[in-house]
């Protein structure tokens, strides 16, 4: 059986000064996404903040075509137009149906 030896007590610290008491902070009372997809924050003081559109993924409904890169011979996807997309902010994915999205058509939007 090994006996444990208790270590020495460390030095006593000096307690710091107490800071000034500040005003009550403002908190987020509620948050929701409106019918436009914007995050709305309601603060405890009644202020309402529109934090902008919340992206829940890539824009669906864009129109794509496929092309072949002349240098690498790879097939790539090209965003050709808005198609059936209805988003205000367009988010283009890095791939479409397994093909790298490499270009946006000059007059796509």
């Amino acid at each position: 059986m090994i006996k444990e030896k208790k270590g020495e007590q460390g030095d006593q610290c000096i307690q710091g000064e107490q800071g000034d008491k500040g005003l009550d902070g403002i908190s987020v009372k509620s948050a929701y996404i409106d019918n436009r997809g914007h995050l709305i924050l309601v603060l405890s003081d009644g202020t309402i903040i529109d934090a902008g559109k919340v992206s829940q993924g890539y824009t669906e409904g864009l129109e794509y075509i496929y092309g072949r890169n002349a240098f690498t011979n790879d097939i790539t996807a090209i965003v050709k137009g808005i198609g059936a997309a209805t988003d205000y902010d367009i988010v283009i994915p890095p791939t479409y149906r397994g093909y790298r999205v490499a270009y946006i058509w000059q007059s796509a939007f």
Side-chain angles (χ1 to χ4, degrees):
M1 176 182 245
I2 300 174
K3 282 189 164 183
E4 292 183 18
K5 182 178 178 184
K6 188 173 183 181
E8 296 178 22
Q9 184 172 351
D11 294 336
Q12 184 105 19
C13 292
I14 299 172
Q15 185 172 354
E17 295 179 22
Q18 185 172 351
D20 295 329
K21 291 185 178 182
L23 300 173
D24 288 341
I26 298 172
S27 63
V28 176
K29 186 176 177 182
S30 66
Y32 63 93
I33 298 175
D34 69 8
N35 60 355
R36 300 172 302 147
H38 286 229
L39 174 62
I40 306 298
L41 303 172
V42 181
L43 304 182
S44 58
D45 68 352
T47 302
I48 297 175
I49 299 173
D50 182 343
K53 185 169 174 75
V54 179
S55 177
Q56 296 181 12
Y58 303 113
T59 301
E60 293 191 27
L62 294 174
E63 184 179 357
Y64 294 87
I65 59 172
Y66 299 96
R68 187 176 296 276
N69 185 311
F71 299 105
T72 64
N73 210 28
D74 293 337
I75 296 174
T76 59
I78 302 166
V79 178
K80 183 178 179 192
I82 196 74
T86 58
D87 291 351
Y88 293 107
D89 299 315
I90 303 298
V91 181
I92 298 171
T95 61
Y96 176 74
R97 294 189 178 170
Y99 296 99
R100 184 173 64 91
V101 176
Y103 305 100
I104 300 173
W105 202 264
Q106 185 174 357
S107 58
F109 305 109

